[in-house]
Amino acid sequence: MNIKRNVLLNPGPATTTDTVKLAQVVPDICPREKEFQSIMAPMRDDLVRIVHGGDDYTSVLFCGSGTICIDVTLNSLLDAEKKAFVINNGSYSQRAVDICKAYDLPLIELKQPINSKPDLSAIEEILKSNDDIGYVYITYHETGTGLLNPVKEVGALAHKYGSFLITDTTSAYAMMPINVYDENIDFCMASAQKGIMGMTGLSFIIGRKSIIEESKNYPKRSYYCNLYMQYEYFERTGEMHFTPPVQTIYAARQALIEYFEEGEIKKWSRHQRVMDAIHKGEDRLGLKEILSREVQSGLVSAIKYPDDINWSFDKIHDYCYERGFTIYPGKIENQGTFRLCALGAIDEADINEFWKVFENALVENGVRIPVQYIEA
Ligand SMILES: *Cc1c(COP(=O)(O)O)cnc(C)c1O
């Protein structure tokens, strides 16, 4: 079978290997069969292993996109009388705030600038003056800007004040090395279409068993999206409570084989090589980013729209798209940006090809090179 290869530079779903795509083509199977359960048990262990969790961590699978894990952790892990504390410095932590509001959870929101690391003393101040904080929530890597948050430091503060840490690692997990112990992470999460380079529809939470067990008697704010209920069902039966995304799970199994074959360190080097090639092309064409490179994750570059009357994101996008390269609009309010991301089964050579196509797109549309910016 010959499947057209597209290079996806959007922040997930990622470019996948053909072996992962084809792993979905399997005989029809009822997911309640033992044969299917025998896939999920080792998968749960593998997902914990990726972030170096030991026996005190478990993973719980859900059928849904990555946002389901934000929803599940926030709504399930808050006891009555406790407050959620969300550090908000980007569009993904804004999503966490929106979820807390949708459930009407008591919430402390700390707004921080989107282009620099959050202020640890402001975080500590809040923890010090509120003894009813249930958990601290921070996005590991803000995919809208590419900002890497100081999760280890925030986790240490959470623990110092008797709370625990939930972090959304969706756009970092299985891309950069993460160690839940070293980084003071009690709960993290991801979805199969990002770091592990699988298909959409499967997401997972990795977290401390003891805290999940404690949450048994916390208010149940959702029936489908409850962490304890899904965990308990897995432990008792080896299955997901409701129908799992069968073919996506077969693809994830293959993706995990390929993840461990490539290896954590080699994979991270490959993503860094890709980002270096992205940065080189930006510098050559004069494209400017939102963030200084010191605070970037190395996985997402958010680029300002050039100030050129001939610049049209849609036209450039369409030109690149027709040639097999997908670029993605930004997520920053009041500022035109687009993003180039280093996830997926791609390498430096793909980026070099991409920049040739992108440059042609600028030329075809009459955008001046190097690109121009009005502000200093
Ligand atoms: C991709 C992503 C998600 C999940 O988004 P979905 O559209 O639900 O898959 C959540 N958090 C972060 C940081 C992400 O990058």
Side-chain angles (χ1 to χ4, degrees):
M1 205 188 291
N2 200 355
I3 310 169
K4 180 173 177 250
R5 181 166 180 272
N6 287 326
V7 172
L8 302 187
L9 300 174
N10 48 297
T15 297
T16 56
T17 61
D18 285 355
T19 37
V20 167
K21 291 182 192 77
L22 292 172
Q24 295 173 100
V25 185
V26 288
D28 293 324
I29 182 169
C30 169
R32 300 303 180 198
E33 290 298 330
K34 288 223 163 43
E35 185 185 337
F36 193 76
Q37 290 170 25
S38 72
I39 296 178
M40 279 194 291
M43 178 173 292
R44 288 180 64 202
D45 293 340
D46 283 347
L47 293 171
V48 174
R49 195 146 64 93
I50 287 179
V51 286
H52 304 279
D55 285 344
D56 34 359
Y57 284 80
T58 186
S59 75
V60 183
L61 313 181
F62 283 88
C63 181
S65 79
T67 303
I68 200 170
C69 297
I70 309 179
D71 186 321
V72 169
T73 49
L74 290 171
N75 93 62
S76 307
L77 294 171
L78 194 68
D79 201 357
E81 320 294 324
K82 294 274 188 182
K83 288 186 186 133
F85 174 20
V86 178
I87 298 151
N88 182 356
N89 64 344
S91 54
Y92 289 88
S93 36
Q94 181 60 48
R95 192 174 294 179
V97 166
D98 294 342
I99 289 169
C100 289
K101 288 185 178 160
Y103 283 104
D104 227 350
L105 302 179
L107 169 69
I108 300 175
E109 174 189 359
L110 177 66
K111 275 216 163 147
Q112 292 284 288
I114 63 163
N115 56 358
S116 57
K117 308 242 178 206
D119 177 2
L120 293 172
S121 57
I123 294 168
E124 179 154 19
E125 205 42 57
I126 288 177
L127 282 159
K128 207 186 273 177
S129 47
N130 294 274
D131 57 6
D132 54 354
I133 288 172
Y135 51 68
V136 180
Y137 180 99
I138 187 164
T139 305
Y140 194 95
H141 165 218
E142 265 295 348
T143 323
T145 52
L147 182 78
L148 193 65
N149 271 321
V151 167
K152 178 180 178 159
E153 291 78 4
V154 173
L157 287 174
H159 293 164
K160 181 176 169 190
Y161 292 93
S163 183
F164 64 88
L165 186 82
I166 305 173
T167 182
D168 172 3
T169 48
T170 311
S171 60
Y173 177 96
M175 288 174 257
M176 48 174 53
I178 295 176
N179 182 308
V180 285
Y181 296 103
D182 292 350
E183 297 179 56
N184 301 311
I185 295 170
D186 300 297
F187 287 87
C188 64
M189 60 190 79
S191 57
Q193 83 261 21
K194 293 201 175 174
I196 68 165
M197 309 190 316
M199 297 293 152
T200 58
L202 173 70
S203 297
F204 32 87
I205 293 162
I206 293 105
R208 284 197 186 268
K209 284 181 195 165
S210 58
I211 300 177
I212 299 176
E213 273 154 18
E214 257 172 58
S215 75
K216 179 179 179 179
N217 298 317
Y218 291 2
K220 297 233 169 358
R221 300 173 176 96
S222 169
Y223 180 72
Y224 199 83
C225 293
N226 182 271
L227 184 56
Y228 178 79
M229 275 158 69
Q230 185 80 327
Y231 164 78
E232 190 275 333
Y233 203 88
F234 256 122
E235 293 297 304
R236 189 157 43 84
T237 65
E239 295 181 30
M240 266 162 103
H241 200 165
F242 305 105
T243 308
V246 176
Q247 285 71 20
T248 297
I249 286 178
Y250 279 100
R253 176 172 69 165
Q254 178 61 27
L256 287 167
I257 291 171
E258 294 177 17
Y259 173 85
F260 288 109
E261 267 170 13
E262 184 173 15
E264 176 181 52
I265 301 299
K266 271 204 170 152
K267 187 169 187 285
W268 174 223
S269 315
R270 178 168 60 77
H271 293 313
Q272 286 176 295
R273 202 155 63 228
V274 167
M275 186 48 73
D276 284 344
I278 289 174
H279 282 156
K280 268 193 202 129
E282 290 168 0
D283 295 344
R284 188 168 59 78
L285 296 172
L287 290 161
K288 287 190 183 166
E289 299 172 280
I290 290 288
L291 291 189
S292 72
R293 289 190 181 158
E294 305 87 76
V295 295
Q296 289 183 23
S297 62
L299 289 165
V300 169
S301 174
I303 302 167
K304 296 179 191 172
Y305 284 173
D307 296 314
D308 188 307
I309 48 161
N310 290 328
W311 169 265
S312 151
F313 174 80
D314 290 343
K315 284 188 184 156
I316 303 286
H317 166 275
D318 292 355
Y319 185 97
C320 295
Y321 181 78
E322 282 157 20
R323 288 156 185 80
F325 296 93
T326 301
I327 62 175
Y328 201 68
K331 245 187 190 298
I332 298 170
E333 273 176 37
N334 310 323
Q335 187 159 23
T337 57
F338 69 100
R339 284 179 284 174
L340 300 177
C341 309
L343 73 172
I346 60 173
D347 211 332
E348 197 178 356
D350 295 308
I351 303 301
N352 296 338
E353 261 329 288
F354 160 71
W355 282 121
K356 285 184 209 162
V357 170
F358 186 90
E359 184 168 357
N360 287 340
L362 295 179
V363 172
E364 288 277 318
N365 285 281
V367 178
R368 267 174 67 188
I369 300 172
V371 299
Q372 307 294 305
Y373 292 95
I374 294 163
E375 26 72 283

